Amino acid sequence: MGFVDKLVLDGKRKRMEEELKEEKLPLFIWGSGNLAELVRKYLRIHEIQAAGFFEWPMVRHDTFHGNKVYSMEEIEEGNSRYNVIVAHGHYSMAAELLTHASNINKIYYLFSFDYCGDNCNTYFECDTVRSLIQPFEMIYDRFSDNKSRENLAAFLNTKMTGDVQYIFDAFEGEMSFFENDVYALSKTECYWNIGGGRGETITEFLKNTGNRFKQIVTLEPDLESYRFLRRYIETLPFVNQIFAYLCAAWDKQEKVSFFHDDDVTESGGIAEGEENRVLVDGIPLDKLFLEREDIQAPTFITANYFQGIIEMLAGSKYILKRYAPALAIVVGHNDEYGLVRITEAILNANVEYKFYLRFHQALATTLVLYAVAE
């Protein structure tokens, strides 16, 4: 079966919100964190009333946005039948939940999230995907294994139809940047963490390397997050091996407009005056590397943010061509053109890269493009 034959291009969509509006059973949101808040906003936008929040197997919070957070036992005792809606943090636990909760009628899954706004379950247009068949086929043919090809078809079908079952069928198990079947970490990594946040990814890297590495370089454009990141780094015994910069990875040295709120910082266009946007310094990674004698060429680069990836890659052409570091870039939250443009940007710098596509979790948003020069 060819690539096009695997795609569902009939334009039919599974509209969860329409089904939920017809439901008479109470609907409970599983979780009480950032993703549960996105679910709550999604339901409110579509005028769907949630009966409450619950946590399982452990209740971590008493309340969430002024609402009581229930235990599973309380939900079961108070409802003979009910529905559940979840975000991706609980996808892998859903089957186990059903063995402990006998009164659940159905579990609903959101298939994508917009962490910088209120949009959930954003679809791909079939006509747009159809217009990109040729570049998608080029990517499909360049993938180094069948799993990547299966994941591409599952991703596109889920985004076009809203049916998460395509991803569920392709998903084989949770992965991360540092624990996967594509790239194995060495004890001499020069790891570049683009979008350092508050040190969460560095912490995971250190755990998986047993604190054995050559150097870490991290860029974080958000001032509040950067200060937190710096304080974290200064607590580490190998602080002299970690270099942190308050800036954004960009294609030229200039001011860049970034979205900011308490949970995320996200690159955007160069525009002032927009709500929740701040101007930060943008710098090409090539320039940073060539001008700083104390940092070494990367062996592995990771990036997990929504906009600005193309600019980051454009500003890294020398590094990608000369040193060919392994790349791991989250591509699941882009639009229809995202994966095509990111792949083209990498090949524009170095045609020797081989590509792999993996879901880190059973969710479109967690799709990661790995590029390795073999």
Side-chain angles (χ1 to χ4, degrees):
M1 182 182 293
F3 171 61
V4 176
D5 297 324
K6 295 181 179 181
L7 299 183
V8 181
L9 293 165
D10 58 12
K12 295 180 180 179
R13 291 176 173 176
K14 186 176 182 179
R15 293 286 187 180
M16 180 193 303
E17 60 273 13
E18 294 177 3
E19 183 176 343
L20 286 172
K21 286 181 179 180
E22 296 297 322
E23 268 289 347
K24 304 302 181 183
L25 296 174
L27 177 68
F28 289 90
I29 300 172
W30 184 0
S32 62
N34 292 337
L35 292 178
E37 172 60 8
L38 287 175
V39 175
R40 186 179 73 95
K41 288 181 178 179
Y42 165 78
L43 295 176
R44 283 191 170 184
I45 288 171
H46 293 285
E47 299 181 335
I48 300 167
Q49 182 65 42
F53 301 86
F54 76 94
E55 289 189 326
W56 181 85
M58 180 186 302
V59 178
R60 299 170 299 164
H61 308 101
D62 294 329
T63 61
F64 184 66
H65 285 277
N67 300 285
K68 175 181 170 58
V69 178
Y70 296 95
S71 66
M72 173 51 60
E73 291 73 20
E74 290 174 311
I75 300 292
E76 286 280 299
E77 290 174 5
N79 300 270
S80 59
R81 296 295 284 171
Y82 60 96
N83 294 318
V84 170
I85 186 168
V86 304
H88 74 80
H90 298 298
Y91 282 5
S92 62
M93 300 170 62
E96 186 178 357
L97 172 67
L98 289 172
T99 66
H100 289 78
S102 58
N103 296 342
I104 292 178
N105 175 63
K106 184 174 181 178
I107 297 179
Y108 291 89
Y109 304 88
L110 295 183
F111 67 83
S112 70
F113 300 92
D114 174 11
Y115 292 94
C116 293
D118 298 333
N119 296 322
C120 291
N121 281 11
T122 52
Y123 293 89
F124 280 0
E125 295 298 330
C126 291
D127 288 343
T128 303
V129 173
R130 190 178 289 109
S131 72
L132 293 169
I133 288 297
Q134 186 173 350
F136 273 129
E137 284 186 324
M138 181 275 293
I139 297 171
Y140 184 85
D141 291 338
R142 286 194 68 102
F143 282 138
S144 295
D145 63 2
N146 286 329
K147 173 48 60 179
S148 299
R149 299 182 185 99
E150 293 172 6
N151 286 341
L152 176 60
F155 171 70
L156 292 175
N157 284 336
T158 290
K159 290 289 288 184
M160 286 188 290
T161 67
D163 189 349
V164 296
Q165 193 61 48
Y166 291 106
I167 292 178
F168 286 178
D169 290 343
F171 185 65
E172 293 185 342
E174 293 190 4
M175 299 183 183
S176 72
F177 286 143
F178 313 118
E179 289 186 290
N180 58 76
D181 62 351
V182 176
Y183 183 74
L185 295 172
S186 75
K187 299 176 183 178
T188 58
E189 293 290 347
C190 292
Y191 169 51
W192 286 30
N193 172 219
I194 312 305
R198 300 189 172 192
E200 301 91 340
T201 309
I202 291 177
T203 299
E204 188 179 354
F205 170 78
L206 295 174
K207 177 182 177 182
N208 281 276
T209 59
N211 295 336
R212 289 175 291 184
F213 64 97
K214 186 175 289 186
Q215 191 177 82
I216 296 173
V217 174
T218 182
L219 279 65
E220 173 51 49
D222 177 60
L223 180 58
E224 181 180 343
S225 295
Y226 175 78
R227 287 171 174 167
F228 197 101
L229 176 64
R230 284 296 319 173
R231 289 195 297 269
Y232 163 67
I233 292 172
E234 288 166 3
T235 67
L236 300 174
F238 27 75
V239 59
N240 293 332
Q241 294 173 252
I242 304 178
F243 298 81
Y245 299 94
L246 177 62
C247 60
W250 206 242
D251 58 347
K252 60 179 71 71
Q253 188 163 4
E254 65 182 358
K255 292 291 185 181
V256 181
S257 175
F258 266 64
F259 178 92
H260 167 81
D261 69 12
D262 292 336
D263 298 317
V264 292
T265 304
E266 189 54 56
S267 58
I270 302 172
E272 299 184 54
E274 298 179 42
E275 185 179 0
N276 290 336
R277 288 193 174 271
V278 295
L279 289 178
V280 302
D281 291 322
I283 186 171
L285 295 182
D286 286 344
K287 180 178 177 63
L288 180 70
F289 171 67
L290 293 171
E291 292 184 352
R292 292 297 304 264
E293 296 182 357
D294 49 354
I295 63 175
Q296 302 178 42
T299 57
F300 187 36
I301 298 175
T302 65
N304 182 9
Y305 49 94
F306 311 104
Q307 299 177 35
I309 295 292
I310 301 299
E311 290 81 359
M312 180 272 287
L313 293 169
S316 310
K317 284 185 178 180
Y318 174 78
I319 290 174
L320 299 185
K321 178 64 175 178
R322 175 68 176 81
Y323 299 99
L327 308 173
I329 300 171
V330 178
V331 295
H333 38 50
N334 294 104
D335 60 17
E336 294 94 328
Y337 300 90
L339 179 59
V340 171
R341 290 171 175 167
I342 290 170
T343 305
E344 290 176 344
I346 295 171
L347 291 173
N348 189 40
N350 189 336
V351 296
E352 299 301 319
Y353 274 107
K354 307 297 182 184
F355 297 99
Y356 301 83
L357 205 59
R358 294 292 187 266
F359 290 106
H360 279 189
Q361 293 178 301
L363 177 74
T365 314
T366 71
L367 188 67
V368 177
L369 178 68
Y370 286 88
V372 182
E374 300 176 343

